[in-house]
Amino acid sequence: MSEMGAIKVLFFAHLKELCGVDKEMIVLPQPLRVADLKRLLGERFPLINERLANVLVAVNQQYAADEDWIQAGDEVAFFPPVSGGSPPTIFRITSEELDLNELLDEITLPTTGAACIFTGMVRGETWRGEVHQTIALEYEAYVPMAEAKMAQVAAEIRARWPAVEGIAIVQRVGHLKPRTPTVMIACTAAHRDTGVFEAARYGIDRLKEIVPIWKKEIMPNGEEWIEGSYHPQKGE
């Protein structure tokens, strides 16, 4: 197969240290997607292989998702999400109890003056639609892909609301009883009129659309897996 051309790949922060280089020229036999490039880099630089599911990717200085295409001549940057820095970004799948105060503290900066938090709970009684009781919910996730998609959601939020400072997207998995927090989406900013309300709402809506997380509802008379629908791109 003839060579199509080369791309420049840039590494930042600890990715640069693990690879031993800050940039690499890679010859492409044909156009490929971001996910394909991640696999190629995982083979070339084994030390970063396990981290590639959580890195952020930019193609020509624009955030890119796994399904986006890369062409010859493109510049592709790989960099880790920042937790506790500026801007702090947290995305996590966990089986541990959610500490909402701790998570909020992690995305609060000295300049922060506003925070908007959405927390989903296990509902014991449902009165909208088909009325029923819920004994518990069991959450399951494809963790590497789920955290990668959470990173995509965070990148989309930053592209739409640049004034947002901190972002936390955290989902709990496992067997959860009513009144238990299951998910937290939080955004912080200097002021309340900078988009934090809209950004947090966007975050939970996108999580439901693209992040591979499933739940089984356990009811007094049986149990059922709840399925949604996949929306790879958010309409304007």
Side-chain angles (χ1 to χ4, degrees):
M1 183 179 295
S2 61
E3 293 180 355
M4 187 193 77
I7 61 171
K8 180 191 290 186
V9 179
L10 306 177
F11 302 103
F12 293 92
H14 67 263
L15 298 176
K16 174 176 62 178
E17 296 175 355
L18 292 172
C19 292
V21 295
D22 60 358
K23 60 180 175 292
E24 184 84 351
M25 298 299 297
I26 295 180
V27 175
L28 302 182
Q30 59 189 20
L32 78 170
R33 296 182 187 273
V34 169
D36 300 321
L37 179 58
K38 285 182 178 180
R39 284 191 289 271
L40 190 156
L41 292 174
E43 295 172 358
R44 184 171 297 195
F45 302 104
L47 291 179
I48 68 168
N49 191 39
E50 293 184 357
R51 300 172 183 263
L52 288 172
N54 297 329
V55 299
L56 298 180
V57 182
V59 178
N60 299 325
Q61 301 181 12
Q62 298 294 324
Y63 282 113
D66 279 355
E67 62 268 20
D68 289 340
W69 287 97
I70 300 171
Q71 307 283 344
D74 285 346
E75 179 182 88
V76 186
F78 284 79
F79 45 96
V82 181
S83 180
S86 178
T89 307
I90 301 167
F91 42 86
R92 186 181 305 152
I93 302 290
T94 181
S95 60
E96 302 297 324
E97 181 178 350
L98 301 185
D99 187 328
L100 306 183
N101 289 328
E102 180 181 323
L103 289 167
L104 180 59
D105 182 66
E106 290 187 60
I107 61 169
T108 298
L109 300 177
T111 53
T112 296
C116 186
I117 304 170
F118 171 84
T119 304
M121 313 280 289
V122 178
R123 186 173 50 250
E125 298 181 357
T126 297
W127 294 93
R128 180 191 295 178
E130 183 181 349
V131 177
H132 64 277
Q133 291 185 325
T134 300
I135 296 174
L137 294 178
E138 289 188 3
Y139 280 86
E140 179 180 319
Y142 178 21
V143 176
M145 183 176 178
E147 292 184 341
K149 288 299 182 181
M150 286 175 167
Q152 177 184 333
V153 173
E156 291 178 3
I157 288 174
R158 294 204 182 282
R160 289 170 180 253
W161 294 280
V164 167
E165 294 180 340
I167 300 173
I169 305 174
V170 183
Q171 173 73 50
R172 189 175 177 185
V173 294
H175 185 90
L176 307 179
K177 296 182 178 180
R179 301 181 57 166
T180 302
T182 62
V183 62
M184 173 182 175
I185 309 289
C187 294
T188 61
H191 304 281
R192 69 178 185 276
D193 59 355
T194 51
V196 287
F197 294 97
E198 297 84 354
R201 173 62 184 267
Y202 180 92
I204 186 61
D205 288 347
R206 283 300 271 158
L207 181 140
K208 297 288 187 180
E209 290 175 347
I210 68 171
V211 180
I213 299 169
W214 306 272
K215 65 181 178 182
K216 179 167 66 175
E217 186 172 11
I218 302 171
M219 298 166 284
N221 59 346
E223 55 187 46
E224 177 185 6
W225 284 100
I226 308 299
E227 297 185 1
S229 57
Y230 177 62
H231 301 279
Q233 295 182 340
K234 187 72 172 178
E236 296 292 344

PDB file of all heavy atoms in Angstrom, residues 4 6 15 27 30 37 54 66 87 113 137 151 164 192 209 220:
ATOM      1  N   MET A   4       0.407   7.643   2.223  1.00  0.00           N
ATOM      2  CA  MET A   4      -0.450   8.781   1.950  1.00  0.00           C
ATOM      3  C   MET A   4       0.222  10.087   2.348  1.00  0.00           C
ATOM      4  O   MET A   4       0.086  11.097   1.691  1.00  0.00           O
ATOM      5  CB  MET A   4      -1.764   8.620   2.707  1.00  0.00           C
ATOM      6  CG  MET A   4      -2.810   9.660   2.375  1.00  0.00           C
ATOM      7  SD  MET A   4      -4.150   9.632   3.568  1.00  0.00           S
ATOM      8  CE  MET A   4      -3.393  10.485   4.951  1.00  0.00           C
ATOM      9  N   ALA A   6       2.286  12.224   6.052  1.00  0.00           N
ATOM     10  CA  ALA A   6       2.654  12.158   7.463  1.00  0.00           C
ATOM     11  C   ALA A   6       1.804  13.115   8.287  1.00  0.00           C
ATOM     12  O   ALA A   6       1.281  14.112   7.785  1.00  0.00           O
ATOM     13  CB  ALA A   6       4.126  12.482   7.639  1.00  0.00           C
ATOM     14  N   LEU A  15       2.551  12.362  29.495  1.00  0.00           N
ATOM     15  CA  LEU A  15       2.594  11.558  28.272  1.00  0.00           C
ATOM     16  C   LEU A  15       3.931  11.748  27.564  1.00  0.00           C
ATOM     17  O   LEU A  15       4.514  10.802  27.040  1.00  0.00           O
ATOM     18  CB  LEU A  15       1.445  11.941  27.348  1.00  0.00           C
ATOM     19  CG  LEU A  15       0.030  11.705  27.887  1.00  0.00           C
ATOM     20  CD1 LEU A  15      -0.997  12.229  26.895  1.00  0.00           C
ATOM     21  CD2 LEU A  15      -0.207  10.232  28.166  1.00  0.00           C
ATOM     22  N   VAL A  27       3.890   8.294   9.524  1.00  0.00           N
ATOM     23  CA  VAL A  27       3.457   8.167   8.133  1.00  0.00           C
ATOM     24  C   VAL A  27       2.188   7.340   8.080  1.00  0.00           C
ATOM     25  O   VAL A  27       2.099   6.267   8.679  1.00  0.00           O
ATOM     26  CB  VAL A  27       4.559   7.511   7.274  1.00  0.00           C
ATOM     27  CG1 VAL A  27       4.052   7.273   5.848  1.00  0.00           C
ATOM     28  CG2 VAL A  27       5.809   8.387   7.264  1.00  0.00           C
ATOM     29  N   GLN A  30      -3.084   5.551   4.898  1.00  0.00           N
ATOM     30  CA  GLN A  30      -4.422   5.982   4.487  1.00  0.00           C
ATOM     31  C   GLN A  30      -4.999   6.820   5.618  1.00  0.00           C
ATOM     32  O   GLN A  30      -4.468   6.823   6.731  1.00  0.00           O
ATOM     33  CB  GLN A  30      -5.310   4.753   4.246  1.00  0.00           C
ATOM     34  CG  GLN A  30      -5.449   3.870   5.472  1.00  0.00           C
ATOM     35  CD  GLN A  30      -6.143   2.564   5.170  1.00  0.00           C
ATOM     36  OE1 GLN A  30      -6.219   2.128   4.035  1.00  0.00           O
ATOM     37  NE2 GLN A  30      -6.669   1.930   6.210  1.00  0.00           N
ATOM     38  N   LEU A  37      -5.470   5.825  15.640  1.00  0.00           N
ATOM     39  CA  LEU A  37      -4.178   6.403  15.995  1.00  0.00           C
ATOM     40  C   LEU A  37      -3.818   6.052  17.438  1.00  0.00           C
ATOM     41  O   LEU A  37      -2.653   5.787  17.751  1.00  0.00           O
ATOM     42  CB  LEU A  37      -4.201   7.917  15.805  1.00  0.00           C
ATOM     43  CG  LEU A  37      -2.899   8.655  16.163  1.00  0.00           C
ATOM     44  CD1 LEU A  37      -1.725   8.138  15.343  1.00  0.00           C
ATOM     45  CD2 LEU A  37      -3.067  10.159  15.980  1.00  0.00           C
ATOM     46  N   ASN A  54      -8.184   7.737  28.447  1.00  0.00           N
ATOM     47  CA  ASN A  54      -8.591   8.927  29.187  1.00  0.00           C
ATOM     48  C   ASN A  54      -7.981  10.225  28.676  1.00  0.00           C
ATOM     49  O   ASN A  54      -8.308  11.292  29.195  1.00  0.00           O
ATOM     50  CB  ASN A  54      -8.223   8.765  30.666  1.00  0.00           C
ATOM     51  CG  ASN A  54      -8.962   7.621  31.310  1.00  0.00           C
ATOM     52  OD1 ASN A  54     -10.079   7.300  30.930  1.00  0.00           O
ATOM     53  ND2 ASN A  54      -8.337   6.987  32.284  1.00  0.00           N
ATOM     54  N   ASP A  66     -13.075  10.044  19.299  1.00  0.00           N
ATOM     55  CA  ASP A  66     -12.470   8.825  18.774  1.00  0.00           C
ATOM     56  C   ASP A  66     -12.871   8.544  17.330  1.00  0.00           C
ATOM     57  O   ASP A  66     -12.101   7.980  16.556  1.00  0.00           O
ATOM     58  CB  ASP A  66     -12.860   7.627  19.638  1.00  0.00           C
ATOM     59  CG  ASP A  66     -12.005   7.504  20.893  1.00  0.00           C
ATOM     60  OD1 ASP A  66     -11.048   8.292  21.028  1.00  0.00           O
ATOM     61  OD2 ASP A  66     -12.288   6.628  21.715  1.00  0.00           O
ATOM     62  N   PRO A  87      -7.453  24.561  33.923  1.00  0.00           N
ATOM     63  CA  PRO A  87      -8.757  24.333  34.561  1.00  0.00           C
ATOM     64  C   PRO A  87      -8.903  22.886  35.017  1.00  0.00           C
ATOM     65  O   PRO A  87      -8.524  21.971  34.300  1.00  0.00           O
ATOM     66  CB  PRO A  87      -9.734  24.638  33.420  1.00  0.00           C
ATOM     67  CG  PRO A  87      -8.989  24.221  32.193  1.00  0.00           C
ATOM     68  CD  PRO A  87      -7.531  24.537  32.451  1.00  0.00           C
ATOM     69  N   GLY A 113     -16.673  31.820  41.614  1.00  0.00           N
ATOM     70  CA  GLY A 113     -17.720  32.506  42.369  1.00  0.00           C
ATOM     71  C   GLY A 113     -19.075  31.860  42.176  1.00  0.00           C
ATOM     72  O   GLY A 113     -20.061  32.296  42.784  1.00  0.00           O
ATOM     73  N   LEU A 137     -31.300   0.052  41.831  1.00  0.00           N
ATOM     74  CA  LEU A 137     -30.783   0.119  40.470  1.00  0.00           C
ATOM     75  C   LEU A 137     -29.388  -0.484  40.463  1.00  0.00           C
ATOM     76  O   LEU A 137     -28.616  -0.281  41.404  1.00  0.00           O
ATOM     77  CB  LEU A 137     -30.709   1.563  39.960  1.00  0.00           C
ATOM     78  CG  LEU A 137     -32.016   2.322  39.766  1.00  0.00           C
ATOM     79  CD1 LEU A 137     -31.723   3.749  39.315  1.00  0.00           C
ATOM     80  CD2 LEU A 137     -32.909   1.627  38.751  1.00  0.00           C
ATOM     81  N   ALA A 151     -14.612  12.456  28.804  1.00  0.00           N
ATOM     82  CA  ALA A 151     -13.637  13.473  28.392  1.00  0.00           C
ATOM     83  C   ALA A 151     -14.153  14.245  27.188  1.00  0.00           C
ATOM     84  O   ALA A 151     -13.965  15.458  27.085  1.00  0.00           O
ATOM     85  CB  ALA A 151     -12.296  12.815  28.061  1.00  0.00           C
ATOM     86  N   VAL A 164     -16.358  28.520  31.612  1.00  0.00           N
ATOM     87  CA  VAL A 164     -16.422  27.484  32.647  1.00  0.00           C
ATOM     88  C   VAL A 164     -15.010  27.163  33.128  1.00  0.00           C
ATOM     89  O   VAL A 164     -14.094  26.967  32.335  1.00  0.00           O
ATOM     90  CB  VAL A 164     -17.116  26.216  32.097  1.00  0.00           C
ATOM     91  CG1 VAL A 164     -16.913  25.040  33.044  1.00  0.00           C
ATOM     92  CG2 VAL A 164     -18.611  26.470  31.918  1.00  0.00           C
ATOM     93  N   ARG A 192     -22.226  33.573  37.881  1.00  0.00           N
ATOM     94  CA  ARG A 192     -23.355  32.690  37.570  1.00  0.00           C
ATOM     95  C   ARG A 192     -23.897  32.896  36.158  1.00  0.00           C
ATOM     96  O   ARG A 192     -24.587  32.030  35.624  1.00  0.00           O
ATOM     97  CB  ARG A 192     -24.479  32.892  38.582  1.00  0.00           C
ATOM     98  CG  ARG A 192     -25.186  34.240  38.495  1.00  0.00           C
ATOM     99  CD  ARG A 192     -26.317  34.318  39.521  1.00  0.00           C
ATOM    100  NE  ARG A 192     -27.085  35.546  39.394  1.00  0.00           N
ATOM    101  CZ  ARG A 192     -26.756  36.712  39.936  1.00  0.00           C
ATOM    102  NH1 ARG A 192     -25.639  36.804  40.649  1.00  0.00           N
ATOM    103  NH2 ARG A 192     -27.513  37.786  39.764  1.00  0.00           N
ATOM    104  N   GLU A 209     -26.557  10.419  26.431  1.00  0.00           N
ATOM    105  CA  GLU A 209     -26.584  10.151  24.995  1.00  0.00           C
ATOM    106  C   GLU A 209     -25.411   9.317  24.493  1.00  0.00           C
ATOM    107  O   GLU A 209     -25.581   8.487  23.599  1.00  0.00           O
ATOM    108  CB  GLU A 209     -26.617  11.477  24.219  1.00  0.00           C
ATOM    109  CG  GLU A 209     -27.927  12.235  24.350  1.00  0.00           C
ATOM    110  CD  GLU A 209     -27.881  13.583  23.672  1.00  0.00           C
ATOM    111  OE1 GLU A 209     -26.772  14.047  23.305  1.00  0.00           O
ATOM    112  OE2 GLU A 209     -28.943  14.193  23.501  1.00  0.00           O
ATOM    113  N   PRO A 220     -40.451  -4.650  42.717  1.00  0.00           N
ATOM    114  CA  PRO A 220     -41.039  -5.729  43.524  1.00  0.00           C
ATOM    115  C   PRO A 220     -41.511  -6.916  42.692  1.00  0.00           C
ATOM    116  O   PRO A 220     -41.506  -8.056  43.170  1.00  0.00           O
ATOM    117  CB  PRO A 220     -42.222  -5.031  44.218  1.00  0.00           C
ATOM    118  CG  PRO A 220     -41.823  -3.591  44.272  1.00  0.00           C
ATOM    119  CD  PRO A 220     -41.061  -3.347  43.004  1.00  0.00           C
TER     120      PRO A 220
END
